[in-house]
Amino acid sequence: MLVDAGLCATTCYLAIFLRLGFLPQRDTPYGLMVAVSVVLALPVFSAMGMYREIFSQTGVRAIVAAGRACLVYALPFATIFTYIGVWGIPRTISVIQPILLFVSIAGSRIFARYWLFGTNSLRRVPRRRVLIYGAGSAGRQLAGAIAQSSDMAVVGYFDDNPALFGSVLDGCRIYSPVDMAMAVERLTADEILIALPSAPRARRKAIIAEARRVHARVRTLPGLMDIAHGRVEMTHLRDVDIEDLLGRELVEPDRDLMQRSIAGKVVMVTGAGGSIGGEICRQLLALEPAVLLLFEISEFGLYEIHRELTATAPDASVPARIIPLLGSVNDEARVEEVVATWRPDIIYHAAAYKHVPIVERNPAVGVRTNVLGTLTMAKVAASLSVANFTLISTDKAVRPTNVMGVTKRIAELVLQALDQSSPATRYSIVRFGNVLDTSGSVVPLFRHQIRNGGPVTLTDRRITRYFMTAPEAAELVLQASAMACGGDVFVLDMGEPVRIRDLATNMVELAGLTVRSDQNPSGDIEIVEIGLRPGEKLYEELLIGNNPSPTGHPRILKAHEAYLPFARLRGKLARLETLLDAERRPDLLAALKELVPEFEMHDELVDWVCVESERMLAQAPIAKTA
C-alpha cells in the first residue's frame, strides 16, 4: 500500500510534466490532486482484492485485475478534476494520470514477482533450460507451471503442426521436429519435456528416439486426465519409462463384461500385497465389488495395499468393504476359515514366490508355496463351491529351466486337473511374461545403477524378454478371467520381445547420459555383462504347443496343452509333500522332473541341493540333541 501511495504521487507529477512540460511550484494546487489520488486509490484497490494477491503467482489475470481497479479509480478521479474541475489543474490530467498509474501498478507487480521469486535473469540463478514438445493446451499449461519454478526455464517449443513453425509463444520460438538437433545445440537445452498426453504410443516412441539421438534428457506428462482436470504441475513430470518405447498401442478391454463379472460380487485376491496382486486389487476396486478380500502373508505388504485402496476409494462406504486378511496359502485351516466366512465368488490367486535366483536357492520353499499352496487354495475353492478361480502364471512355466518355472507349471497342471473333477468351480490360468517396474523386474535395478553412476549389469547381451505394464497385465487378467469356460490356459499377447541390452541402453540415454564403450570411451555409464544366472534362459516362450486359439479379445489367446487327470496327479503331489516333509531335496528334484518332463535341471541347481542336503543331515543330530 505504501508503494502504491508513492506511485500515486509520482504519476500525478509525471502527468503534470507530460501535460505542461515542467514541474509545478510548491504554492500550486497539485498537492491536492496527490492527496485525492491516494485517498481514492488505496480503498478501491483494497476493495478489489489487489492486496490479497500473491506476488509469486502474478500473471495475466493479475494485470487484468489491476486494469479493472484503475478503471474504477479513474471514474471518481475524472469526475472531480474534469467534470467538476479544480482551478489551476488541467482537465486532461485526469485522463493521463490513471493510465500512468495502471502502467506503474502493473509494472511494480511484475517486478516484484521477478525479483523476489527469482523467475528470470535478474536473480542470475542457474536453471535447467528445457524445450517443450507440444505447443497445445498441455504444453502451455506445463509452461505456466514451469514459470512458477526456480530451477527450470522454457527456451523453446516443438510441434507437429507446420502452421506453427517459426511462431513465437510466450517469447519462445516454436521449432519443427526436424530441427531438434539444431535447436538443442543453439539454445543449449538440457532437457526435452513431452507434453503430448493424447499422442499414440508409436508417435511418442519416435519422438523419444529422436531426443535420445541428440543426447537430451527426456521427461513426459503422465496422461490426458491430468490435463482435463487442470492438474499440470512440475510434480507430474516423470522420466520416460521403457513402456513409452514399446511402440504397442493398448487395446481397450470389454469393460461391460468385466463389470458384469465383478460388480456386486465378493472377490478375493491372494498375494494382494505383491506387484501384480496389488494392481489387480486397484482395478477390481473400480469395478465395484461388494467385498474385496486382501489375503497376504506379509503384514507390511497388506498394510500398504489396504492403506492405498482405502485412501483412493471413490466414496466413504468403500473402505468398509475392503477387508485385509493376514494368512498363508500353505495354512489350509486359515484358508478354509477365510473362504468359509466370506464365501468369495471369485478368487484371483497371485500369491507365489517368483524371483528366479531366490527360488533357485530355496527350492523346497518354492515348491511348498507355488505348488502345494496353489493346491490348497484350489481344493478349498472346490470344497466350498467358489464359482471362479484364476491362477496368475508366468512364461517361465513353458519348458522351464528353473525351480520357479517348474513349480508354476505344476500349479497350472493342478488347476487343469481339478477343473475336470470339480465342476462346481470354473478354473482358469493366465500366463504372461515380465511386468515392467515390478519387484522382480530389471527396470528398478537398472534405474538404481544409473542413478549411482553405473555400471549397469546385464547377464548376456543376447538375452530377450517379453514386457508388459502392470496395469495392462492386470486388466487383461480380469478380462481373461471373465471369458473363462473352465480349464482354460490364457496367454497374453506381449508383442515383440525386447533385448535386455537395448533396454539398458535406452534407459541410460533417456537419462540424458551416454553409454561408455570402445567406440565411445568418454561415455557416462558402462554396461557390463556378468553371465547368465543359474536357471536363466536366453529366450522366454509363452506356449508349449503351437496351436493357440483366438478369443474375443485381440490380445488374449487360448492355449491347448496336455495335463494329467487329477486321480493320477494326486499321488505325485502327495509324493512331493512327503519328500518335502522328509527334507529329501535331491529326490524332490527328481519328482519335479517326473511331473514336468521338459524341466531342464542345470548342474548348479543339482550341486546346490546336494550340498544343502548334506549340511542338513550333518546338523540333524545336533538339532535332535538340542
Side-chain angles (χ1 to χ4, degrees), residues 131-268:
L131 287 157
I132 295 178
Y133 199 115
S137 61
R140 292 194 298 272
Q141 288 188 53
L142 179 57
I146 290 174
Q148 312 303 322
S149 165
S150 60
D151 63 342
M152 300 176 73
V154 177
V155 295
Y157 295 84
F158 297 109
D159 202 90
D160 295 330
N161 185 358
L164 297 179
F165 297 166
S167 301
V168 175
L169 178 61
D170 293 332
C172 299
R173 184 176 176 179
I174 301 174
Y175 294 89
S176 166
V178 299
D179 298 327
M180 185 176 291
M182 177 273 294
V184 169
E185 182 178 0
R186 175 184 295 177
L187 300 172
T188 60
D190 305 298
E191 195 168 352
I192 295 175
L193 309 179
I194 301 177
L196 299 174
S198 60
R201 205 174 247 186
R203 179 62 190 139
R204 295 166 70 87
K205 180 182 178 182
I207 295 169
I208 293 166
E210 180 62 20
R212 286 172 47 215
R213 191 179 65 80
V214 300
H215 303 301
R217 186 189 179 198
V218 187
R219 284 197 288 169
T220 184
L221 285 175
L224 192 58
M225 290 310 296
D226 285 308
I227 309 301
H229 292 293
R231 297 194 299 260
V232 180
E233 299 176 4
M234 294 299 298
T235 53
H236 291 142
L237 284 169
R238 62 173 175 81
D239 289 335
V240 173
D241 287 323
I242 189 62
E243 62 256 36
D244 295 299
L245 301 177
L246 292 179
R248 184 182 67 233
E249 294 301 320
L250 301 180
V251 179
E252 283 297 317
D254 185 343
R255 296 201 174 275
D256 290 337
L257 176 62
M258 292 165 58
Q259 189 82 29
R260 288 196 303 272
S261 65
I262 300 298
K265 304 287 183 64
V266 178
V267 184
M268 178 177 178

Side-chain angles (χ1 to χ4, degrees), residues 405-517:
V406 73
T407 57
K408 294 298 283 185
R409 177 57 190 148
I410 297 172
E412 292 181 354
L413 293 173
V414 168
L415 261 66
Q416 288 176 287
L418 275 174
D419 186 73
Q420 302 301 311
S421 60
S422 306
T425 301
R426 189 165 57 205
Y427 294 96
S428 60
I429 300 151
V430 183
R431 184 190 291 162
F432 52 88
N434 294 269
V435 177
L436 291 166
D437 249 357
T438 56
S439 57
S441 169
V442 297
V443 173
L445 172 63
F446 285 175
R447 188 177 292 126
H448 174 75
Q449 290 174 335
I450 292 169
R451 192 179 299 121
N452 290 340
V456 171
T457 58
L458 56 91
T459 54
D460 192 293
R461 66 174 54 246
R462 300 167 296 167
I463 200 166
T464 64
R465 290 292 181 266
Y466 291 99
F467 283 105
M468 182 175 280
T469 66
E472 188 180 8
E475 203 168 60
L476 291 175
V477 166
L478 299 183
Q479 175 82 51
S481 174
M483 297 190 300
C485 299
D488 308 283
V489 179
F490 292 107
V491 179
L492 304 187
D493 176 10
M494 306 284 291
E496 293 299 318
V498 176
R499 291 179 67 235
I500 302 300
R501 168 78 187 197
D502 294 342
L503 170 64
T505 302
N506 288 339
M507 293 187 66
V508 170
E509 292 179 349
L510 288 174
L513 304 171
T514 57
V515 176
R516 188 185 310 149
S517 63

Side-chain angles (χ1 to χ4, degrees), residues 1 3 7 109 143 169 201 216 223 239 245 270 288 306 313 337 361 389 419 423 439 491 497-498 510 545 554 560 616:
M1 293 177 78
V3 168
L7 292 175
R109 267 53 175 179
L169 178 61
R201 205 174 247 186
D239 289 335
L245 301 177
T270 69
E288 301 176 347
H306 182 253
E337 175 190 30
R361 289 297 191 183
F389 187 101
D419 186 73
S439 57
V491 179
V498 176
L510 288 174
H560 303 282
M616 292 176 65

Side-chain angles (χ1 to χ4, degrees), residues 6-23:
L7 292 175
C8 287
T10 302
T11 53
C12 282
Y13 281 98
L14 182 58
I16 296 166
F17 180 80
L18 292 175
R19 172 64 179 81
L20 302 179
F22 60 88
L23 291 175

Side-chain angles (χ1 to χ4, degrees), residues 118-121 125-129 146-147 149-153 190:
T119 52
N120 84 342
S121 57
V125 177
R127 295 186 295 165
R128 283 180 290 139
R129 298 166 64 82
I146 290 174
S149 165
S150 60
D151 63 342
M152 300 176 73
D190 305 298

Side-chain angles (χ1 to χ4, degrees), residues 276-552:
I276 294 299
E279 186 58 39
I280 290 174
C281 291
R282 294 180 195 102
Q283 299 206 20
L284 283 171
L285 193 61
L287 298 173
E288 301 176 347
V291 178
L292 179 56
L293 307 174
L294 313 177
F295 193 73
E296 173 60 54
I297 192 172
S298 164
E299 181 187 26
F300 180 72
L302 183 61
Y303 163 76
E304 282 288 289
I305 188 63
H306 182 253
R307 179 189 59 78
E308 178 188 338
L309 294 178
T310 53
T312 57
D315 60 73
S317 63
V318 172
R321 306 200 304 268
I322 304 173
I323 312 299
L325 299 165
L326 274 173
S328 167
V329 296
N330 294 315
D331 185 347
E332 187 169 355
R334 175 60 174 158
V335 170
E336 199 165 51
E337 175 190 30
V338 168
V339 176
T341 300
W342 292 96
R343 293 287 176 174
D345 301 289
I346 308 167
I347 295 177
Y348 291 96
H349 181 49
Y353 290 122
K354 306 183 186 75
H355 200 272
V356 170
I358 298 297
V359 178
E360 211 69 0
R361 289 297 191 183
N362 300 272
V365 179
V367 171
R368 192 175 294 281
T369 298
N370 294 0
V371 177
L372 300 182
T374 299
L375 177 64
T376 297
M377 290 298 309
K379 284 171 58 180
V380 170
S383 65
L384 294 172
S385 301
V386 175
N388 290 281
F389 187 101
T390 298
L391 169 68
I392 313 303
S393 191
T394 170
D395 58 354
K396 293 175 177 59
V398 177
R399 283 180 273 276
T401 58
N402 50 66
V403 176
M404 194 280 279
V406 73
T407 57
K408 294 298 283 185
R409 177 57 190 148
I410 297 172
E412 292 181 354
L413 293 173
V414 168
L415 261 66
Q416 288 176 287
L418 275 174
D419 186 73
Q420 302 301 311
S421 60
S422 306
T425 301
R426 189 165 57 205
Y427 294 96
S428 60
I429 300 151
V430 183
R431 184 190 291 162
F432 52 88
N434 294 269
V435 177
L436 291 166
D437 249 357
T438 56
S439 57
S441 169
V442 297
V443 173
L445 172 63
F446 285 175
R447 188 177 292 126
H448 174 75
Q449 290 174 335
I450 292 169
R451 192 179 299 121
N452 290 340
V456 171
T457 58
L458 56 91
T459 54
D460 192 293
R461 66 174 54 246
R462 300 167 296 167
I463 200 166
T464 64
R465 290 292 181 266
Y466 291 99
F467 283 105
M468 182 175 280
T469 66
E472 188 180 8
E475 203 168 60
L476 291 175
V477 166
L478 299 183
Q479 175 82 51
S481 174
M483 297 190 300
C485 299
D488 308 283
V489 179
F490 292 107
V491 179
L492 304 187
D493 176 10
M494 306 284 291
E496 293 299 318
V498 176
R499 291 179 67 235
I500 302 300
R501 168 78 187 197
D502 294 342
L503 170 64
T505 302
N506 288 339
M507 293 187 66
V508 170
E509 292 179 349
L510 288 174
L513 304 171
T514 57
V515 176
R516 188 185 310 149
S517 63
D518 294 339
Q519 294 75 28
N520 183 26
S522 60
D524 303 297
I525 303 289
E526 185 179 8
I527 297 178
V528 178
E529 292 184 58
I530 58 175
L532 288 173
R533 297 174 298 184
E536 189 173 26
K537 296 165 72 173
L538 280 176
Y539 315 104
E540 297 291 2
E541 305 164 274
L542 290 168
L543 290 168
I544 296 175
N546 294 310
N547 57 341
S549 302
T551 66

